[in-house]
């Protein structure tokens, strides 16, 4: 074998080994698409606003970009919140620190929260903890207002004045009843007088 033939064979062998080494290194450093956990998204909502002395209806839903529905537990917590648009609000009177942990098996879950004796602004927080390491946990929060209801509690500004109209106390109905009694009495008196006149003998 000539010198040039040996040199060519050595170069081909070197290139082949380098290609194999690069391929092995690339295979070792490539990320495993199945090793990462799937991100979840938790959504918690309530009606907004709600009235005082009304139990709040809380809905929770957890979604993920996966054919498998994430399941686990959801921890809900109520705290007072600042006003909307960053404005401070007076601390609301109510069940601050209320918390519940529920089992989550998919779909939208509804549960009744506490009632609120005073007006104010509240934050409901939800934390999802999956029971499968295939998913990641997630959180969400929702701010809602509590306004004065029909009874208004101790807040007299919440009294319902029916748009300024006076309440119906039964006065008009009582008036018609008395008028009817008077008409019946008057009619009965007229009948008695007519009969007496009819029974009296005619004067000669």
């Amino acid at each position: 074998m000539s010198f040039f033939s040996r040199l060519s064979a050595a170069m081909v062998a070197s290139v082949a080994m380098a290609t194999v080494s690069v391929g092995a290194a690339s295979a070792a450093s490539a990320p495993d698409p199945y090793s990462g956990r799937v991100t979840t998204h938790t959504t918690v909502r309530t009606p907004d606003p709600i009235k005082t002395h009304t139990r709040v209806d809380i809905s929770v839903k957890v979604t993920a970009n996966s054919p498998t529905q994430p399941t686990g537990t959801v921890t809900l917590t109520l705290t007072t919140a600042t006003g909307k648009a960053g404005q401070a609000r007076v601390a609301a009177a109510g069940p601050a620190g209320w918390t519940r942990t529920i089992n989550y098996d998919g779909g939208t879950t509804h549960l009744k929260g506490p009632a609120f004796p005073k007006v104010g602004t509240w934050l409901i927080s939800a934390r999802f903890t999956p029971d499968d390491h295939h998913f990641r946990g997630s959180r969400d929060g929702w701010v809602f207002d509590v306004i004065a209801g029909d009874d208004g509690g101790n807040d007299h500004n919440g009294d319902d004045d029916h748009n300024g109209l006076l309440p119906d106390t039964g006065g008009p109905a009582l008036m018609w009843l008395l008028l009817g009694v008077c008409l019946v009495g008057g009619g009965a008196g007229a009948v008695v007088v007519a009969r007496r006149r009819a029974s009296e003998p005619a004067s000669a």
Side-chain angles (χ1 to χ4, degrees):
M1 182 179 294
S2 65
F3 173 76
F4 291 103
S5 298
R6 291 180 180 177
L7 180 60
S8 299
M11 292 177 63
V12 170
S14 299
V15 171
M17 292 187 65
T19 302
V20 172
S21 299
V22 170
S26 299
S29 61
D32 182 2
Y34 300 101
S35 62
R37 293 186 294 173
V38 178
T39 300
T40 62
H41 299 279
T42 299
T43 303
V44 60
R45 291 292 183 269
T46 70
D48 181 30
I50 67 169
K51 293 184 177 181
T52 53
H53 304 283
T54 301
R55 296 185 63 185
V56 59
D57 181 20
I58 305 170
S59 65
V60 181
K61 185 176 183 180
V62 181
T63 57
N65 187 17
S66 170
T68 304
Q69 172 65 51
T71 59
T73 60
V74 176
T75 301
L76 301 163
T77 305
L78 269 173
T79 55
T80 55
T82 57
K84 295 178 180 178
Q87 297 178 355
R89 293 285 295 271
V90 178
W98 177 91
T99 182
R100 291 289 186 277
T101 298
I102 60 173
N103 293 323
Y104 182 79
D105 297 322
T108 301
T109 300
H110 293 269
L111 74 154
K112 286 291 186 180
F116 303 83
K118 295 275 189 179
V119 299
T121 303
W122 289 84
L123 169 67
I124 179 72
S125 301
R127 184 181 75 251
F128 171 66
T129 303
D131 55 13
D132 185 349
H133 294 294
H134 180 65
F135 295 100
R136 296 179 183 274
S138 55
R139 297 170 178 263
D140 190 33
W142 173 256
V143 176
F144 62 96
D145 289 325
V146 179
I147 62 176
D150 292 337
D151 52 9
N154 294 327
D155 187 357
H156 297 290
N157 292 328
D159 294 338
D160 188 358
D161 61 358
H162 301 280
N163 295 325
L165 299 177
L166 293 176
D168 184 2
T169 58
L174 180 60
M175 181 186 68
W176 285 111
L177 177 62
L178 293 176
L179 181 59
V181 171
C182 292
L183 290 175
V184 172
V191 170
V192 170
V193 171
R195 286 182 178 179
R196 285 182 178 179
R197 288 181 178 179
S199 62
E200 291 179 355
S203 59

